Amino acid sequence: MKKTEKKASERHRSYKKPVLSSEAFARARREAKLRLVGSGGLRSLFGQAAKKVASLPRQRFKENWLYLQTMLRLIGAYERGQYKQVSNDELLWIVAALNYLVDPYDLIPDLTPVLGFVDDAIVVEFVVDKTRQSLDDFMVWETIGVSNPG
């Protein structure tokens, strides 16, 4: 591993606890609960998150980029009523991660040079770790279930 990559990795880990215990992450979880019970909340989130993800620097998200894209597709399919095979708890985590992602005033504001997306990447990594099996199941459903509905 290159010296600069190692330093960035160490810095990434040093932010993990403050990010996950921040008021911004708690707010994202509270808003996730509201989005799941309200009508149109997921549709609005999907639109905001899709726009935000399109503008993100992929390198910050590394191996979780595919899972971030999967979170978006899962929320879209869930909102349209096409996919319901995800637990409420895991859906809540996924929605919380996307809420955090679209919040420009999270722990480290996105406009902060160099560090602006570190906290977003930490939240995505944390939620991917918690929901990986559901995200993998959704990807299987997409490749098998959608192309072979019956």
Side-chain angles (χ1 to χ4, degrees), residues 66-82:
L66 171 67
Y67 283 109
L68 176 56
Q69 300 289 322
T70 302
M71 286 182 201
L72 274 174
R73 294 191 314 274
L74 187 151
I75 291 299
Y78 185 90
E79 192 277 324
R80 291 186 302 273
Q82 297 171 321

Side-chain angles (χ1 to χ4, degrees), residues 7-147:
K7 271 187 163 180
S9 177
E10 288 170 5
R11 194 170 47 237
H12 179 90
R13 278 194 297 273
S14 71
Y15 286 111
K16 191 170 189 169
K17 187 173 182 177
V19 170
L20 298 176
S21 61
S22 71
E23 174 55 33
F25 188 58
R27 183 176 59 242
R29 284 197 35 96
R30 284 192 305 271
E31 290 174 5
K33 291 175 185 175
L34 295 174
R35 285 189 188 271
L36 289 174
V37 297
S39 69
L42 289 181
R43 183 176 305 126
S44 170
L45 176 62
F46 178 81
Q48 292 172 6
K51 186 175 180 180
K52 178 74 176 239
V53 167
S55 69
L56 289 174
R58 291 182 186 196
Q59 68 275 13
R60 290 274 187 232
F61 295 86
K62 298 180 180 150
E63 66 275 355
N64 292 313
W65 184 255
L66 171 67
Y67 283 109
L68 176 56
Q69 300 289 322
T70 302
M71 286 182 201
L72 274 174
R73 294 191 314 274
L74 187 151
I75 291 299
Y78 185 90
E79 192 277 324
R80 291 186 302 273
Q82 297 171 321
Y83 186 79
K84 298 289 184 181
Q85 297 86 12
V86 59
S87 74
N88 288 338
D89 189 50
E90 294 202 348
L91 185 63
L92 179 69
W93 283 113
I94 292 167
V95 172
L98 295 176
N99 275 339
Y100 192 91
L101 195 68
V102 301
D103 183 354
Y105 305 107
D106 49 29
L107 186 63
I108 304 172
D110 296 343
L111 295 176
T112 304
V114 182
L115 299 177
F117 295 106
V118 169
D119 59 325
D120 299 297
I122 288 169
V123 167
V124 168
E125 177 182 25
F126 174 75
V127 171
V128 166
D129 288 347
K130 290 189 85 53
T131 64
R132 185 178 310 273
Q133 187 60 56
S134 289
L135 294 169
D136 287 341
D137 291 347
F138 177 74
M139 286 188 278
V140 168
W141 174 83
E142 282 182 307
T143 57
I144 296 171
V146 175
S147 62

